[in-house]
Amino acid sequence: MVVTKEESPWSVLPLWIPIGMIIMRILVGLSGHSGEGEDHNLEAAYGGDYEAQRHWMELTIHLPIQKWYFYDPSYWGLDYPPLTAYYSYLCGLASHYW
């Protein structure tokens, strides 16, 4: 006689978490983005979140830390918490040197 342990419904959870993450990533990738369809060649056009992130990376690697939050706040001023600013700084350094 073989004694088997009854399986818990939670035992399959580790399998479904990565599958759910992959499905979520695919669904997010299929949707539009901010700035989509705008003419990025226009001086007044904002390119959406991607352009804002690129601008913040440039801002953080070219300005001293004391000016990050005060340099031209009317044009995509840095408006996220400091930890995010440091992350933009590290990404900016990585893209600048690689």
Side-chain angles (χ1 to χ4, degrees):
M1 179 160 133
V2 177
V3 177
T4 60
K5 185 172 82 172
E6 186 177 321
E7 286 194 32
S8 165
W10 296 104
S11 63
V12 294
L13 188 63
L15 175 67
W16 287 106
I17 290 174
I19 292 173
M21 291 171 66
I22 291 169
I23 291 171
M24 181 65 74
R25 177 66 180 120
I26 291 170
L27 293 175
V28 168
L30 292 174
S31 66
H33 58 84
S34 66
E36 185 175 19
E38 291 182 11
D39 185 3
H40 300 294
N41 294 324
L42 296 176
E43 189 173 319
Y46 283 70
D49 292 335
Y50 175 75
E51 290 295 319
Q53 293 293 332
R54 188 183 61 77
H55 175 72
W56 292 337
M57 287 189 289
E58 290 290 324
L59 188 139
T60 55
I61 65 172
H62 289 103
L63 290 176
I65 294 173
Q66 297 84 1
K67 293 186 179 182
W68 283 1
Y69 286 95
F70 304 106
Y71 181 78
D72 196 11
S74 64
Y75 180 77
W76 272 330
L78 195 60
D79 58 356
Y80 284 153
L83 185 59
T84 306
Y86 286 112
Y87 180 74
S88 291
Y89 175 69
L90 293 175
C91 290
L93 284 178
S95 67
H96 186 72
Y97 291 109
W98 284 293

